[in-house]
Amino acid sequence: MVAFLLFLGTAAHADEGMWLPLFLQQLNEKQMRSMGMKITAADIYNINKGSLKDAIVSFGGFCTGEVISDKGLVLTNHHCGFDAVQNHSTLERNYIRDGFWAKNKGEEIPNPGLFVTFIVRIEDVSKTALAGVTPAMTEQERSAAIDKNIAGLKTTVKREAYQDFFVRSFFEGNQYFLFVTETYKDVRLVGAPPSAIGNFGKDTDNWMWPRHTGDFSMFRIYAGKDNKPADFSNENVPYVPKKSLSISLGGMKEGDFTMVFGFPGRTTQYLPAAAVDQIMQVNDPAKIAIRDKALGVIDGFMRKDEKIKIQYAAKYASISNAWKKWQGEVLGLTSTKAVDKKKVYEAEFQKRVNANPAWKEQYGSLLGDLETSYAEINKYGLARDYFNETISRIEAFALGAQLNNLAGIKQKNGDKAFKDAVPKTIDRLADLYKEYSPEVDKQLFTVLMEKFTKDQPAEFLAPELVALAKSNDYNFSKIADEFYTGNDLLNAGAKVLANLQANPDLVLMANDLNKANQLFISLNAHYSATVTRKLSGLQAKINQLQRTYMKAQMEVMKERKFYPDANSTLRVTYGNVKGYQARDAVKYDFYSYLDGVMEKYKPGDYEFDVPEKLRTLYKNKDYGPYGKNGKMPVCFIAMNHTTGGNSGSPALDASGNLVGLNFDRVWEGTMSDINYDPSICRNIMVDIRYVLFIIDKYAGAGHLVQEMKLVNKGKNP
Ligand code: ARG
Ligand code: GLU
């Protein structure tokens, strides 16, 4: 009985799940309406006429954005637009520090490489994708067959010439869906608040509630004169969307229905207990410890050097973001006893399987096999984490890699191809140099290579590395001195770029003598020989088992409502606005206000400074139509099941109006990627009224608000 109750605890809850928009009517509409939704599934997703989905974009492939005016204005998070803001910032025009607002369309700044993608329609293509696939196939044969089937769709999928499509696997490869897309490549920066607002509280507040961040930035989509996607051109015009979101000034009460519509990146909800245990005990702790070291180095330099602060701001934020999340994840999995719950669930699964001869035959050994495979992959997964977390952090390796690629082209494709490739290499190196400081990198090399070498078993250490370490008494600072001193590639970027232009062969010859690069090549070779092959073999085995386990669960655990893991495709998640009990005696409210910004205010602080103008607006309670009862709402939380990639996603009210921007989750519930728990999993949104207040009253960019459609104005004061 106890076991069964515990098992129920792991079945899907009302608020759990990231649902495919095309099945909302079938699977979710009834429940959504019972939770307060006033619109229909067809208002959300409809391929025959404009629906909410036509206002949602994948922003650059890593975040979500939404269209909020009929002139193509797009809202996303500050941290999603941050790369653009950073690219246009210099010490003299410091948009990171001061914010940026285009006063008219002429001042909007193009961002080469940035794009937004709309989803035109979604189709189940499982039959086509899996045609001819048999259980006897190896994983390799299987994926080759599927790739071929999908490639065949190129000629048959109905779409316009300017549209594209992609196919993704769902439910661990049991189903396949097709997404017809429209991608706009002329996306210009319209505005961003200063970091002191857009990233208020920085890393200390990140993944935490209560939160007081105005995490938004604004862009505009430009199209050709025919409103179709077009490459950047001064002739392009603001895009006229099929649908733009109305914005509600009404605010949210506890219990109100909300949904979040966007592109969640990756979750793993259907892992067995053994895999979850490994994440908690092995992988997360190792990655956290390596990042501890890297962050310590970068932070030290950023605090004392304004130039390094600009150069490394984005890198730091992204390293620290996952680092902190993993810590929350381990805590949350521990506090909710995720592994025990999974074990109870698995016992129930096994019991039912054993009771049915056909199931027993097919699925009887599944959980045991999974457990064995996860045990086998353990050390290789750990070696992968060490390798990735170390190698990708050291820029000297990335710089060398660019030249290695170039040398490879020369060797394989001859002189002409080589000469043609040089400009691209110059561009890529220039990009790397922009965010590179030799002092920082040298220190990173010292600290990370030392940890890499000391922590790992001999089998994963390249002989060249061992020899190097031994001959220097494991003094990595000495090794770094030797590697970095007098090395042009690592110290004199401008010179290298000029030389590449003038005599690329000479630069390649110099790189052959580059000791950091020589080490990099040995590390790569050893990793391929000892880890890559083993890992991909074991991973293929695990993928196959997980796919069968997924199918089996759907057959055996019939009462459970299954949703596919996030895979960067368009999803809807819904829940109610609600506070939570964080731990014994600690209960959190669901709204935060500008008063909280002022409580956290630390003059001159790196994370908690507050711009003077915002302090004045606060003092005068000068909130315009955006405040409520003399207070300025800032953020709120709800039970929506979100993950990375949902950043910038619209939070919509029961009528489908925009009420906020999703940007984070609460500390206690960051394990929702692995095991959602309704008692402590909450997503964090910035209130749209705060966004408008900052644009209008703080930045004086009210002309942008004029473009938007505001509703429920009367309900606010
Ligand atoms: N934790 C949020 C997400 O995963 C926000 C990250 C940006 N903010 C920051 N302080 N690094 O993207
Ligand atoms: N901040 C995350 C992002 O960049 C969203 C928050 C989350 O992971 O829940 O997508």
Side-chain angles (χ1 to χ4, degrees), residues 41-105:
D43 295 325
I44 300 173
Y45 177 84
N46 191 331
I47 57 172
N48 300 314
K49 63 181 195 26
S51 55
L52 290 174
K53 81 136 170 58
D54 297 309
I56 316 298
V57 293
S58 161
F59 186 85
F62 51 87
C63 277
T64 305
E66 51 279 351
V67 183
I68 54 164
S69 90
D70 53 15
K71 296 190 188 76
L73 213 48
V74 166
L75 204 53
T76 187
N77 286 150
H78 184 263
H79 73 268
C80 299
F82 189 67
D83 209 43
V85 176
Q86 183 186 30
N87 280 334
H88 306 304
S89 286
T90 60
L91 280 174
E92 299 75 44
R93 275 179 319 164
N94 193 337
Y95 299 150
I96 300 180
R97 189 191 56 207
D98 307 328
F100 165 78
W101 291 95
K103 286 196 265 322
N104 52 54
K105 299 208 178 64

Side-chain angles (χ1 to χ4, degrees), residues 405-417:
N405 285 343
L406 194 59
I409 292 176
K410 185 176 160 91
Q411 210 176 39
K412 251 191 268 151
N413 308 336
D415 234 35
K416 166 137 189 4

Side-chain angles (χ1 to χ4, degrees), residues 477-542:
S477 145
K478 202 170 135 214
I479 300 173
D481 273 337
E482 192 191 323
F483 280 17
Y484 282 74
T485 311
N487 185 332
D488 276 352
L489 184 67
L490 306 188
N491 293 295
K495 187 170 149 197
V496 172
L497 296 179
N499 286 348
L500 259 176
Q501 196 84 266
N503 191 345
D505 283 290
L506 224 58
V507 178
L508 293 189
M509 275 159 67
N511 195 41
D512 286 340
L513 302 172
N514 167 5
K515 289 192 174 151
N517 190 50
Q518 290 166 355
L519 176 65
F520 173 60
I521 290 173
S522 320
L523 293 175
N524 266 319
H526 193 73
Y527 181 76
S528 304
T530 55
V531 182
T532 313
R533 176 110 55 79
K534 264 309 218 180
L535 200 60
S536 52
L538 287 165
Q539 194 59 56
K541 176 96 207 281
I542 286 177

Side-chain angles (χ1 to χ4, degrees), residues 273-378:
V276 175
D277 195 53
Q278 199 166 95
I279 293 171
M280 293 169 66
Q281 309 288 343
V282 180
N283 306 92
D284 277 356
K287 293 188 289 185
I288 292 164
I290 302 171
R291 288 194 178 202
D292 271 337
K293 297 269 181 201
L295 289 167
V297 170
I298 302 174
D299 182 58
F301 284 100
M302 279 173 73
R303 278 177 194 267
K304 55 182 199 228
D305 187 323
E306 189 68 25
K307 181 168 170 227
I308 291 178
K309 189 167 143 185
I310 295 180
Q311 284 185 309
Y312 279 78
K315 261 182 231 177
Y316 186 91
S318 106
I319 301 169
S320 122
N321 192 41
W323 165 79
K324 195 164 175 186
K325 191 197 116 170
W326 292 324
Q327 297 177 50
E329 185 167 274
V330 173
L331 281 174
L333 290 170
T334 309
S335 77
T336 56
K337 302 190 169 59
V339 170
D340 290 344
K341 284 185 189 153
K342 291 250 178 199
K343 281 187 179 151
V344 172
Y345 174 78
E346 284 162 21
E348 176 67 22
F349 170 85
Q350 192 71 48
K351 201 176 100 200
R352 293 187 196 180
V353 165
N354 290 347
N356 174 323
W359 283 347
K360 191 164 181 204
E361 161 92 29
Q362 263 185 299
Y363 307 136
S365 66
L366 202 47
L367 284 168
D369 291 347
L370 273 165
E371 195 169 347
T372 314
S373 298
Y374 277 107
E376 273 181 86
I377 206 170
N378 192 341

Side-chain angles (χ1 to χ4, degrees), residues 79 199 202-203 206-207 211 215 317 320-321 644 647 663-664:
H79 73 268
N199 193 10
K202 298 237 169 40
D203 299 296
N206 192 20
W207 298 112
R211 190 64 153 278
D215 197 344
S320 122
N321 192 41
S647 271
F663 72 97
D664 212 358

